[in-house]
């Protein structure tokens, strides 16, 4: 089923179609140049879209959560409570994550998306003009690749993993009801999340109370309250809220995928902390994990959850592999610290305390006060 999903991915199908055009439009001797041009064009289109999003966010003063340069192994990062900057081994892509921050949140995010769309479109038009002017296989491939990647980004779609630029441009300002209220409440929710990121849990708890009073039924508000409870090590209380969130019958499939993924991770953490019976918690987590996968939640983002499952099941070696994958691929500050804590505990279970200390030192470099990090350090020091 996973292979079938990959084969049916629209961008892959588009790439195959473009390859066919390049291969048939030019002699065989020029096909290689055409395919190289297609790759260059595709990457150029993606870069233009991301640069437009970043520039638009800065101009509109939207919140830039994450900037990742490249793909592959993490070479360096600069992690702060407000933003994550990551440099990876192969610097061929740029990834920018923009979210709601200060009011008016929707207008600022829409402005950033519009800038992304405009720069991407201008780049695609420029590539097409160059192809008509030069009339070479390389330029033709570049134009097709650039236009394809930009067109795909401008096609309105929303999944469990991402929201396209086109969807933001066409639908963001027209949102009504609960989803509009969620974005309008974003400044208060963001303040609570920022307080957690700063480690100011007293302030975070105060803001969580205000959120509960002002927006008792909003998903984003509930998610912020869950984060605060998790940061306080009150997993059982956080789990109850997460179960209510996952049981929301009005949520979209994409929202449900995120809810179930969060529920699975919390259920495993609650069992680990001894705040829930293993028989109940492991069953709840397994079902939530399966639901998240079925609804299209990206598999690589579930590696941390799977690592904790393997650790609780006594499969320390498998937990080490999954936790390292999760820590290397994840860029969220708190999530990465949590994955590194799982890695340290897996090494401990495998009898390698030296590797466990290295892992927990890496976690402390990210967020030393995070409950699972702090508790793991205590256990290592006692050992």
């Amino acid at each position: 089923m996973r292979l079938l999903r990959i084969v049916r991915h629209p961008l892959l199908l588009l790439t195959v179609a473009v390859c066919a055009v390049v291969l048939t439009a030019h002699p065989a001797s020029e096909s290689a140049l055409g395919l190289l041009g297609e790759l260059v064009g595709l990457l150029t289109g993606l870069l233009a879209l991301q640069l437009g999003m970043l520039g638009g966010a800065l101009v509109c003063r939207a919140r830039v959560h994450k900037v990742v340069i490249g793909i592959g192994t993490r070479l360096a990062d600069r992690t702060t409570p407000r933003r994550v900057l990551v440099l990876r081994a192969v610097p061929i892509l740029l990834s920018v994550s923009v979210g709601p921050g200060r009011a008016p949140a929707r207008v600022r995010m829409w402005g950033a998306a519009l800038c992304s769309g405009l720069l991407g479109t201008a780049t695609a038009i420029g590539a097409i003009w160059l192809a008509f002017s030069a009339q070479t296989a390389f330029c033709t491939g570049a134009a097709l690749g650039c236009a394809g990647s930009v067109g795909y980004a401008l096609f309105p779609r929303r999944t469990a993993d991402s929201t396209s630029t086109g969807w933001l441009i066409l639908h963001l300002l027209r949102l009504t009801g609960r989803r509009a209220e969620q974005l309008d409440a974003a400044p208060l929710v963001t303040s609570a999340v920022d307080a957690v990121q700063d480690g100011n849990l007293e302030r975070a708890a105060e803001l969580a109370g205000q959120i509960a009073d002002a927006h008792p039924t909003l998903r984003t508000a509930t998610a912020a309250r869950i984060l605060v409870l998790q940061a306080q090590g009150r997993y059982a209380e956080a789990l109850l809220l997460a179960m209510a969130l996952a049981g929301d019958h009005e949520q979209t499939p994409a929202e449900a995928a995120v809810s179930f993924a969060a529920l699975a991770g919390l259920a495993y953490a609650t069992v680990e902390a001894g705040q829930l019976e293993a028989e109940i918690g492991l069953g709840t987590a397994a079902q939530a994990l399966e639901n998240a996968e079925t609804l299209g939640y990206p598999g690589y983002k579930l590696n941390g959850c799977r690592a904790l499952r393997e650790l609780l099941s006594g499969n320390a070696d498998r937990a080490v592999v999954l936790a390292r994958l999760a820590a290397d691929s994840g860029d969220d500050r708190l999530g990465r610290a949590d994955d590194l804590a799982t890695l340290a505990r897996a090494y401990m279970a495998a009898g390698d305390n030296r590797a466990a200390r290295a892992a927990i030192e890496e976690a402390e470099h990210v967020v030393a006060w995070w409950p699972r990090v702090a508790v793991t350090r205590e256990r290592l020091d006692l050992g």
Side-chain angles (χ1 to χ4, degrees):
M1 287 299 294
R2 290 181 182 176
L3 179 61
L4 188 59
R5 285 180 197 157
I6 293 173
V7 171
R8 288 180 176 176
H9 194 282
L11 188 55
L12 178 60
L13 295 177
L14 175 64
T15 302
V16 171
V18 171
C19 286
V21 171
V22 173
L23 289 172
T24 57
H26 296 277
S29 59
E30 297 183 17
S31 295
L33 284 176
L35 293 176
L36 178 61
E38 180 197 348
L39 176 61
V40 171
L42 187 142
L43 294 175
T44 301
L46 294 175
L47 179 62
L49 289 163
Q50 294 299 299
L51 286 175
M53 184 68 74
L54 179 59
L58 295 176
V59 170
C60 299
R61 302 179 72 184
R63 182 73 173 267
V64 179
H65 295 285
K66 180 174 63 178
V67 178
V68 180
I69 301 173
I71 57 175
T73 305
R74 181 192 305 265
L75 296 182
D77 64 74
R78 184 174 183 274
T79 303
T80 70
R82 301 291 184 276
R83 190 166 296 113
V84 177
L85 304 176
V86 181
L87 174 64
R88 295 189 176 273
V90 186
I92 60 173
L93 288 176
L94 175 69
S95 176
V96 179
S97 294
V98 176
R102 68 187 68 190
R106 278 193 289 165
V107 173
R108 296 182 190 280
M109 288 180 63
W110 181 83
L114 181 63
C115 290
S116 173
L118 289 175
L119 184 57
T121 301
T123 303
I125 291 174
I128 293 171
W129 176 83
L130 182 62
F132 277 109
S133 300
Q135 295 186 352
T136 64
F138 179 88
C139 291
T140 299
L144 290 170
C146 186
S149 62
V150 172
Y152 180 70
L154 293 180
F155 184 81
R157 72 190 186 285
R158 198 174 192 184
T159 68
D161 188 32
S162 63
T163 301
S164 74
T165 302
W167 190 96
L168 292 172
I169 293 173
L170 292 178
H171 297 292
L172 192 59
L173 294 182
R174 297 192 297 172
L175 287 176
T176 58
R178 186 182 62 174
R179 290 180 177 83
E181 188 182 353
Q182 285 182 170
L183 288 170
D184 293 338
L188 181 57
V189 172
T190 300
S191 297
V193 174
D194 286 347
V196 173
Q197 293 279 0
D198 289 333
N200 188 351
L201 300 188
E202 183 177 344
R203 174 60 177 164
E206 178 185 340
L207 289 169
Q210 294 179 23
I211 291 171
D213 292 338
H215 308 284
T217 61
L218 283 187
R219 289 180 54 81
T220 51
T222 303
R225 292 163 60 197
I226 291 172
L227 179 63
V228 173
L229 290 169
Q230 189 177 1
Q232 294 173 326
R234 296 159 62 183
Y235 299 109
E237 296 172 64
L239 182 62
L240 290 175
L241 287 178
M243 291 178 69
L245 202 62
D248 180 8
H249 297 296
E250 295 183 6
Q251 63 187 335
T252 65
E255 290 172 335
V258 175
S259 298
F260 281 117
L263 175 59
L266 264 174
Y268 285 129
T270 307
V271 170
E272 180 191 55
Q275 298 179 20
L276 181 65
E277 293 182 10
E279 184 177 353
I280 298 174
L282 295 181
T284 299
Q287 185 60 60
L289 190 60
E290 181 181 344
N291 291 344
E293 291 175 322
T294 301
L295 289 167
Y297 196 78
Y300 75 94
K301 290 188 176 183
L302 294 171
N303 280 334
C305 186
R306 295 191 185 106
L308 192 48
R309 177 190 62 191
E310 297 298 329
L311 180 60
L312 292 173
S313 300
N315 303 319
D317 292 339
R318 181 60 179 160
V320 166
V321 173
L322 289 169
R324 174 47 71 185
L325 285 173
D328 288 346
S329 63
D331 296 313
D332 174 71
R333 183 170 175 261
L334 301 180
R336 186 161 176 256
D338 200 78
D339 291 331
L340 288 168
T342 301
L343 179 62
R345 294 186 182 203
Y347 276 128
M348 290 173 65
D352 191 348
N353 282 359
R354 182 176 179 180
R357 286 190 173 88
I360 206 62
E361 286 172 5
E362 189 178 352
E364 288 172 331
H365 179 71
V366 181
V367 188
W369 59 264
W370 187 247
R372 294 187 69 239
V373 174
V375 171
T376 304
R377 166 56 74 183
E378 290 176 6
R379 292 181 182 177
L380 271 171
D381 288 344
L382 288 174

